[in-house]
Amino acid sequence: MTSRIPRDSRLRLVRPRPLAASPRAMNQRRSRRPAPRPPEGTPAPAELARMARSGLAAAARVARWADAALGPGGDSATADGKATLSDATAERAARALGLTSAQVRADWDTARLAGLIEVHGDSARPGWRLRAWDRDDSAVLRGWVALCDAWSLAHPEPEEYEAAAVAEVVTAMPQVLSFLQLSAGPVPVPQLLDLLEQRVTELRTERCEVDYAPPSEAPGPGRDLRPAVPLQRPRPALAAPAADAPLAPLLDWALRALASVGALTYGDGQATLTPLGNWAVWVKLEQICVAAQSPAGNIEQGAEDMLRGCGRLRPNAARAEYRAWLAARPVGSAVTELIAAARGEDALLRGLAFEALRVVGAPAEPEVRAALDEPTLRPYALLWLAEHDGADPEDAHEILTREEATWLWVDTAAAVADHGEAPLLVRHLESAIQPTVPALLTEVRAVGHPRTVQVLVALAAAHPDPALAKAVRRAAFQVHTGG
């Protein structure tokens, strides 16, 4: 005897509530992988955010001044289009804030590296983190991590250091920081120097390549058939001066730079990670671990191929895949890729892209907000922003106008028609907000979705009611002929 209970399809764009309102149970279902815990003794996120706010208070002050004084219609913030604060603006800010021009410039650069200020050409505008600075601890912590990642820019190296040697030290410092994190206490500088020298030696060894002498001609009778003799390829010219560069002063610069952003304390011949620095290193290590555990192997794929692979997964597995994919690339470029995938013709990828953007969270807000101007993405963006602002996923659909809701219904139906099963499409009919099928058909025809005809034809073919199927086919024909 076979079961009459319909199978739980893997396609999750169709909601039991109207118009893609996420069921509460689905959102509250926990991942099988337990949430990782930071090292013992790490302060709570609220306390870490308080520390970050304190360390970035001066930068936030300059950013708020720029927001008020350099807004639309105000003076130009920069002189060269390269984020360098103009002399006139620096002096104006110094007078307003009671600082010196040098202090203003330093705080400006810090605010820019932390994402509190965004520079576009000759104008500056507040970053999304500044808007959320007082209410969102995660935004504050992300801003501090961004500054910590840019430590070599926040405290530039002296000019006398070789560029190649500096690049090697910057590349090697994550391993030094990991050692500090594992040590959980002060570490003598000579011990860090030994580790740095080992890592730099590894980098130089990896850069040394082996080439082979090209065969002179095809072998003939009596020719030597032994393999070509390997020839050592000389190191690039850029690496030559770095090989003799002393690393002790470069380590001193790196530790001072990291101390200047609050990642560690440095003095008396030893270095110790601060609570913020310890937490940031742990976050980076956790991201590497997540990236290495890509469940479905899509970590190296582009956004579109990754989303197609996730279309075959159940929700928890898909979210794990999103997290792994996001951990392996910069957040900004990942968000841009997801938005680009959402602009395509495949409605399933559009829905999945915004599910992945929900995993991204607050850093995706600027690009999602910009998507409000695109009719194809607007309903998805509105739902994303509503949930991001704290609306219940089951009620978020109420923010949509009737026309936007109908457009989204057609788009979701297109995804079901392309990737789902006939019963799903029939059940999707029940999720429409219109009280009757004739009312739905009237509004579907008026909304002008490019897939309207295909959706109606597929719905007519799938529906078991002959009368209703006939009415839907008639509507499809009228849309096709423009009647």
Side-chain angles (χ1 to χ4, degrees):
M1 180 175 180
T2 59
S3 172
R4 295 181 179 273
I5 300 176
R7 289 179 298 170
D8 183 17
S9 171
R10 294 175 186 266
L11 186 65
R12 290 290 180 173
L13 287 184
V14 183
R15 312 291 194 191
R17 294 291 296 262
L19 296 164
S22 303
R24 187 187 306 271
M26 183 180 297
N27 282 327
Q28 292 181 348
R29 189 180 304 161
R30 296 181 179 228
S31 173
R32 293 179 182 177
R33 183 177 184 265
R37 294 182 179 180
E40 185 177 356
T42 302
E47 178 62 16
L48 290 170
R50 187 195 65 76
M51 296 177 185
R53 285 190 179 94
S54 176
L56 294 172
R61 186 184 180 197
V62 169
R64 288 195 176 96
W65 176 87
D67 183 21
L70 305 177
D75 296 335
S76 175
T78 64
D80 57 3
K82 298 180 180 179
T84 303
L85 198 63
S86 66
D87 293 337
T89 304
E91 293 174 2
R92 180 182 169 193
R95 290 193 301 269
L97 300 176
L99 303 172
T100 65
S101 295
Q103 289 174 319
V104 169
R105 290 185 184 281
D107 294 339
W108 170 274
D109 290 339
T110 299
R112 186 167 50 83
L113 293 174
L116 300 176
I117 293 174
E118 297 177 359
V119 176
H120 301 268
D122 290 338
S123 63
R125 68 185 185 193
W128 68 268
R129 291 189 180 112
L130 183 64
R131 298 299 192 203
W133 196 249
D134 294 325
R135 61 179 172 81
D136 190 342
D137 289 347
S138 66
V140 176
L141 291 174
R142 285 178 183 272
W144 186 85
V145 169
L147 174 65
C148 185
D149 286 343
W151 61 267
S152 61
L153 301 177
H155 190 82
E157 74 281 0
E159 294 181 358
E160 63 267 21
Y161 294 157
E162 294 286 350
V166 171
E168 287 177 340
V169 170
V170 172
T171 303
M173 281 307 293
Q175 186 167 340
V176 175
L177 291 173
S178 298
F179 180 75
L180 280 168
Q181 198 259 353
L182 292 173
S183 300
V187 178
V189 171
Q191 192 172 357
L192 296 178
L193 181 59
D194 288 342
L195 178 62
L196 179 64
E197 290 173 344
Q198 293 175 23
R199 180 59 183 144
V200 169
T201 299
E202 292 174 359
L203 292 172
R204 292 170 181 170
T205 302
E206 293 169 0
R207 193 171 58 235
C208 187
E209 299 178 13
V210 174
D211 203 352
Y212 291 87
S216 57
E217 53 187 279
R223 296 291 176 91
D224 189 355
L225 300 181
R226 290 175 297 177
V229 179
L231 299 177
Q232 188 71 30
R233 175 178 293 177
R235 284 179 179 160
L238 183 61
D244 299 326
L247 294 179
L250 287 170
L251 176 62
D252 178 73
W253 159 72
L255 294 176
R256 291 184 185 279
L258 286 160
S260 72
V261 300
L264 52 80
T265 58
Y266 176 44
D268 298 327
Q270 59 187 17
T272 309
L273 285 178
T274 63
L276 271 174
N278 185 66
W279 172 81
V281 173
W282 172 78
V283 167
K284 294 297 181 182
L285 291 173
E286 177 60 24
Q287 288 178 346
I288 293 172
C289 292
V290 170
Q293 297 174 6
S294 173
N298 292 305
I299 187 174
E300 297 181 357
Q301 304 293 327
E304 185 171 331
D305 290 336
M306 181 273 294
L307 293 172
R308 291 190 190 281
C310 290
R312 298 186 293 271
L313 303 176
R314 295 191 182 279
N316 282 344
R319 280 190 290 271
E321 192 72 1
Y322 300 149
R323 284 192 292 269
W325 187 85
L326 291 165
R329 47 192 39 83
V331 175
S333 61
V335 171
T336 300
E337 276 195 63
L338 291 171
I339 293 290
R343 291 191 180 102
E345 296 182 359
D346 194 327
L348 176 63
L349 298 191
R350 192 154 31 251
L352 294 176
F354 276 86
E355 288 297 324
L357 290 170
R358 286 178 174 86
V359 175
V360 176
E365 181 178 355
E367 291 210 41
V368 172
R369 197 170 294 279
L372 292 174
D373 297 330
E374 303 181 41
T376 303
L377 304 182
R378 181 176 175 80
Y380 293 94
L382 286 170
L383 291 177
W384 190 98
L385 291 169
E387 294 179 25
H388 177 64
D389 291 339
D392 191 310
E394 291 193 21
D395 301 327
H397 67 279
E398 295 176 1
I399 196 173
L400 302 179
T401 65
R402 196 176 182 91
E403 181 179 2
E404 291 165 347
T406 303
W407 195 99
L408 183 59
W409 184 91
V410 178
D411 206 49
T412 305
V416 177
D418 290 342
H419 302 277
E421 302 170 354
L424 277 177
L425 192 58
V426 174
R427 289 203 300 271
H428 182 59
L429 183 63
E430 301 171 1
S431 71
I433 60 173
Q434 288 78 6
T436 65
V437 171
L440 170 65
L441 295 177
T442 299
E443 295 186 29
V444 164
R445 291 173 56 190
V447 81
H449 193 287
R451 296 290 305 280
T452 299
V453 173
Q454 293 91 331
V455 164
L456 293 178
V457 169
L459 180 59
H463 207 284
D465 186 339
L468 190 147
K470 181 178 180 181
V472 173
R473 277 195 298 271
R474 184 184 302 112
F477 178 76
Q478 290 171 343
V479 173
H480 177 66
T481 59

